[in-house]
Amino acid sequence: MTVSADFLEEIFGENLGAATIIDEAPYFIGMMSGTSLDGMDAVLCQFFEGDDGRVVEMVASHSLPFPEDLQHALLSLTTPNGADKFIQTHQLSFQSELDVYGWASVYYATFAAQVVLELLKKAQISDEQVSAIGCHGQTVRHRPEWSFSLQLLDPNVLAEHTGIAVVSDFRRRDMAVGGQGAPLVPAFHQAMFGNDQSIKAVLNLGGIANITLLDYDGQGTPIGFDTGVANLLMDAWIARHTGTNYDKDGTWAAEGQVIEPLLELLLDHPFFAKPPPKSTGREDFHLSWLDAMLGQLGHSHPNLRYSPVDVQTTLCELTAVSAAEQIARLVDSGVVLVCGGGAKNAYLMARLQAHLPSLSVKPTSSLGIDVALVEGMAFAWLARQNILGRTGNIPAVTGASKAVVLGQVCF
């Protein structure tokens, strides 16, 4: 076992503020699979504390696409009442959605262990050099209005298969003190980018978009919240019409025209009008909702003609407009760093810049940080915060009543 109770007692007995690095096992692994459901990213990180502004060094990374049956199971579980079709078509004799959840939890953890072991082999690092794995798990239901969020993962399986302690279940402790449990990455964004005064915000474009404003009050306090949908609907729509998983570089969306009445309907979703703190997911934004909006469009504009590519263009514009409007209310100059898969969508990035003319919209890769790996690095950082007994949430972001240590450890 990499991290023992004796090790924890030893490091908690030290002056952690003066420690520059955890010498006994200096590496942490962060793992993330987001609402896009395309696969799993893992990063091997080493962390530092000091006055030079350096927080993290990424040593190696590894990504694998989900096996098709696991991806289908996750998609069914993230869609309300969506497991029935999966149960009917799968060779195993599942009796209910809970059967699928339990089976997928073990499968997900086994797959995560494969990703970790391949990462360690690539980096030529032993498991004994890794203090912990921070694994968020797959969010299959997020209901902050009811104070719960479910992340699918069996950390016991991941710990056993890798021999490394696993920190998981990051959201629920924040929810226990009145928070939304999301977004969780603003504290890391602040630690990572807060020393550069030119960087005003970090926008993550995964399946859902979330924003971190690094110095909201002029005293270094960040705030953050979900701005709405990002890649989730675009990926689902292009998969339905072309069979491809995503719109590479936004080339398909760039061919169409925005359907203005549809854009207005989509922007009427009540989530966009909510004040922060706020978070969302597939419960609010999914293809069935989009289909209902297209049905409304047909009733209100019976003579309107459009093609599937025009819907894709409109979905891209929805992401750009909804994020840009909320950023522009709070930031009037400086740099907005963009990460997540959406940062690779050239057309989406151009639309964001068009809607934020007074700001400079840049991908994190402009600083040498892969846009696809920022969230993985964040969960490595959150795992380290947990192991060191440090808080990981920001009450101003999540709405929690106080800062707390996030996650549970499976040694």
Side-chain angles (χ1 to χ4, degrees):
M1 196 65 63
T2 301
V3 180
S4 66
D6 291 340
F7 171 60
L8 286 176
E9 183 177 346
E10 179 182 343
I11 64 171
F12 281 130
E14 295 177 354
N15 179 358
L16 299 178
T20 57
I21 201 166
I22 299 177
D23 294 324
E24 293 85 347
Y27 300 104
F28 286 81
I29 292 173
M31 310 192 74
M32 186 64 187
S33 61
T35 49
S36 293
L37 289 173
D38 49 357
M40 190 176 296
D41 300 317
V43 290
L44 180 69
C45 299
Q46 191 169 12
F47 291 91
F48 302 86
E49 296 178 0
D51 297 328
D52 61 356
R54 184 171 60 159
V55 174
V56 57
E57 176 186 350
M58 190 185 73
V59 179
S61 65
H62 191 54
S63 301
L64 286 178
F66 281 128
E68 187 174 357
D69 55 345
L70 177 58
Q71 184 184 49
H72 289 169
L74 295 175
L75 182 59
S76 76
L77 290 167
T78 57
T79 304
N81 302 314
D84 289 348
K85 183 177 179 181
F86 182 81
I87 291 171
Q88 293 167 6
T89 58
H90 201 275
Q91 61 182 354
L92 297 182
S93 300
F94 297 123
Q95 298 297 311
S96 70
E97 187 175 55
L98 283 177
D99 291 341
V100 180
Y101 181 93
W103 171 83
S105 296
V106 175
Y107 195 170
Y108 182 99
T110 305
F111 176 70
Q114 177 188 343
V115 177
V116 168
L117 294 175
E118 291 182 11
L119 171 66
L120 293 176
K121 184 177 181 181
K122 178 190 289 188
Q124 297 184 323
I125 297 292
S126 72
D127 57 5
E128 294 179 352
Q129 295 174 275
V130 182
S131 283
I133 299 166
C135 189
H136 178 268
Q138 185 64 52
T139 302
V140 295
R141 196 71 82 246
H142 182 63
R143 295 294 195 188
E145 67 273 26
W146 298 330
S147 300
F148 83 85
S149 189
L150 298 179
Q151 278 64 57
L152 178 146
L153 168 71
D154 189 335
N156 305 279
V157 173
L158 180 55
E160 281 298 322
H161 282 40
T162 61
I164 302 171
V166 175
V167 185
S168 62
D169 193 15
F170 290 94
R171 294 192 183 194
R172 291 195 294 175
R173 183 62 187 276
D174 179 83
M175 299 181 111
V177 291
Q180 298 226 347
L184 294 178
V185 294
F188 173 72
H189 289 161
Q190 179 71 14
M192 187 76 176
F193 304 113
N195 287 328
D196 188 335
Q197 294 184 352
S198 69
I199 300 172
K200 303 300 183 181
V202 182
L203 175 64
N204 176 60
L205 296 174
I208 296 297
N210 58 71
I211 185 73
T212 301
L213 304 170
L214 294 174
D215 188 13
Y216 176 67
D217 59 358
Q219 299 179 10
T221 303
I223 65 167
F225 51 89
D226 288 352
T227 63
V229 68
N231 302 315
L232 193 161
L233 289 175
M234 288 189 286
D235 291 349
W237 186 257
I238 196 171
R240 174 187 283 184
H241 289 278
T242 72
T244 53
N245 292 328
Y246 66 98
D247 187 5
K248 186 177 181 181
D249 297 324
T251 52
W252 196 45
E255 296 174 3
Q257 301 292 324
V258 173
I259 309 166
E260 293 293 345
L262 176 60
L263 181 60
E264 291 177 11
L265 275 175
L266 299 178
L267 286 169
D268 275 343
H269 192 295
F271 177 79
F272 296 120
K274 285 183 178 179
K278 60 179 181 176
S279 56
T280 188
R282 286 181 178 268
E283 298 82 7
D284 292 322
F285 298 101
H286 45 79
L287 271 181
S288 296
W289 171 72
L290 176 59
D291 289 338
M293 294 301 99
L294 290 170
Q296 285 190 34
L297 182 68
H299 288 300
S300 60
H301 295 77
N303 297 320
L304 183 63
R305 297 291 178 263
Y306 59 87
S307 65
V309 69
D310 294 328
V311 176
Q312 185 77 359
T313 307
T314 306
L315 292 174
C316 189
E317 193 72 0
L318 172 68
T319 295
V321 169
S322 59
E325 284 184 348
Q326 294 174 79
I327 293 170
R329 293 191 195 110
L330 300 165
V331 183
D332 56 11
S333 64
V335 176
V336 176
L337 285 180
V338 185
C339 58
K344 298 180 180 180
N345 185 323
Y347 181 69
L348 174 56
M349 291 290 283
R351 296 309 301 151
L352 279 166
Q353 185 64 80
H355 289 294
L356 294 168
S358 66
L359 300 170
S360 177
V361 179
K362 297 180 179 181
T364 55
S365 55
S366 65
L367 300 180
I369 304 168
D370 191 319
V371 297
L373 301 178
V374 175
E375 281 208 314
M377 294 167 69
F379 281 96
W381 183 82
L382 284 168
R384 185 176 186 268
Q385 291 293 100
N386 177 288
I387 293 298
L388 294 177
R390 298 176 179 175
T391 60
N393 65 330
I394 299 177
V397 170
T398 65
S401 62
K402 62 180 180 179
V404 289
V405 178
L406 301 180
Q408 299 186 37
V409 189
C410 185
F411 291 107

